Amino acid sequence: MTWLTRLVPGHAPDGGHILSVLAKNTYTIAHQQTAVEDRASPLPWFEADLYWGSGNPATDAIRVESDLVAYKPCVDFILVGSAWAPRGKRAKFFDAGVQVAGANRLIRVFGDRTVQIKTFGFEFSDPESFESMPLHYGLAYGGTDSVSDPGTTYTYPRNPVGKGFLVKKDLKALHGLSLPNLEDPRQLLSADNLLVGKFADWQRMPIPQAFGPMGRNFQPRLELAGLPQDDRASQEWARQKSLAALPEVGSGPESVPPDAPPLLNPLFFNGAPEGQRFPFLKGDETVRLGYMDPDFPLFDFQLPNDTPSLWIEVNDEGLEELKPVLQTVVVHKETNQVTLVWRGSAYYGGPQEMAEYQNLQFGVED
């Protein structure tokens, strides 16, 4: 097999320095088939985030995140694609879903809708019929309200790039307001619950729904980027208790973690939404996609079951085999491809020690 490989330095959950060997491969997928290696059109390393739209991080949703992450505590399952009306017809709304490893997610997909002003109050327009609809956070609930309170701009903390977020009742702000295309079927917006009222009450509003990656500035992901000094002791205790459930780092007896608590929660590096983050995947699971293919209302395939053997060698001291852990699965439904990124990690003494290495080699085997 043809694996792409990278060496990425970073930190383990305990704060210790690690070197992670990453291996990536691209596979083609077909309905009711096992994914097979795509040697004709393999996808490269994504070294930086890619965005929908114009690519503006302030206004556009992330399409795929960078692959170059040294450690993720959970496996990210990401879907890049669109919902398709049954059998290529047009529809005003329906539910699209993903099932993997026993987990199910459903999102209600609407055609374009706006708010219409009535003599008394306002209402939602009927959804426009559509054939396909992208499934990213730009079409989910959220966004910025800079109209309803003159001189003040409010941004929905859970999804700054979405649409439909409005704090106060203002006819100018309401008229023609674009509503989200993607919603939670269990918590739908209506004319009765659209307005937040007070920005401080934003947490009672819906959780944005999409199958793509969340932005790093989304709450609660943003909170994982660092902890206030007063909260570190209690959070560190909770984190330490959870370490036993995480995949191991390193393999040999020399891989001993130092006593150095981190300032960043490693879950920050998991960009998949709730329900698409898994403690462990083997890479042979069956994936079912509901209404995400123009020809198959239920499109299912099996992941390839290809686990690489990862190794690293420092200063000709002998190969150290690294435990392979699946880190990221991205389904690119438009091209019927899926990529898997595996990692193997080992502790080392940090950048200063690395500067003194005479030789550093790493690789992957089937």
Side-chain angles (χ1 to χ4, degrees), residues 59-281:
T59 58
D60 298 322
I62 295 177
R63 188 181 182 95
V64 288
E65 286 196 318
S66 169
D67 291 317
L68 306 184
V69 177
Y71 189 94
K72 291 184 180 182
C74 300
V75 185
D76 274 339
F77 182 92
I78 299 294
L79 186 134
V80 182
S82 299
W84 286 84
R87 300 295 183 187
K89 298 178 182 178
R90 299 181 70 84
K92 292 188 175 184
F93 68 90
F94 57 86
D95 290 351
V98 169
Q99 181 185 75
V100 58
N104 297 279
R105 286 196 72 215
L106 283 177
I107 293 178
R108 185 149 301 168
V109 185
F110 290 94
D112 290 340
R113 302 170 294 165
T114 60
V115 173
Q116 296 180 336
I117 304 300
K118 299 171 58 179
T119 303
F120 300 101
F122 60 93
E123 64 182 7
F124 292 0
S125 67
D126 288 336
E128 296 179 6
S129 64
F130 66 98
E131 183 178 13
S132 66
M133 185 69 64
L135 294 168
H136 58 71
Y137 276 99
L139 300 181
Y141 176 73
T144 296
D145 172 14
S146 58
V147 182
S148 70
D149 190 357
T152 303
T153 297
Y154 301 106
T155 299
Y156 189 49
R158 291 190 179 114
N159 180 15
V161 300
K163 57 182 182 174
F165 180 66
L166 194 65
V167 176
K168 299 182 180 181
K169 185 176 181 179
D170 178 272
L171 294 182
K172 291 183 179 179
L174 280 166
H175 180 65
L177 176 71
S178 294
L179 295 166
N181 301 96
L182 311 178
E183 292 196 54
D184 185 340
R186 303 162 300 178
Q187 193 182 15
L188 295 174
L189 283 176
S190 69
D192 293 330
N193 64 14
L194 174 66
L195 300 176
V196 182
K198 296 186 299 183
F199 180 72
D201 294 333
W202 65 265
Q203 294 190 49
R204 70 173 179 82
M205 300 305 289
I207 304 295
Q209 302 295 313
F211 292 115
M214 300 180 296
R216 293 181 182 84
N217 60 336
F218 288 22
Q219 294 286 10
R221 188 181 184 187
L222 180 62
E223 294 178 355
L224 302 174
L227 294 171
Q229 188 68 40
D230 293 342
D231 294 340
R232 286 178 183 169
S234 60
Q235 293 288 338
E236 174 63 12
W237 171 244
R239 186 189 60 79
Q240 288 286 351
K241 289 193 296 183
S242 68
L243 284 180
L246 297 176
E248 70 176 87
V249 177
S251 58
E254 67 278 6
S255 293
V256 179
D259 184 15
L263 299 181
L264 181 146
N265 189 319
L267 283 169
F268 173 76
F269 294 110
N270 280 107
E274 188 70 27
Q276 292 175 222
R277 299 191 298 269
F278 300 91
F280 181 74
L281 291 179

Side-chain angles (χ1 to χ4, degrees), residues 297-318:
L298 180 60
F299 182 99
D300 64 84
F301 67 95
Q302 185 172 337
L303 294 178
N305 194 24
D306 292 328
T307 304
S309 296
L310 306 169
W311 58 269
I312 190 169
E313 183 178 21
V314 177
N315 293 336
D316 301 319
E317 295 177 357

Side-chain angles (χ1 to χ4, degrees), residues 334-346:
E334 303 105 319
T335 56
N336 279 333
Q337 294 173 298
V338 60
T339 59
L340 276 67
V341 175
W342 296 78
R343 75 151 190 281
S345 304

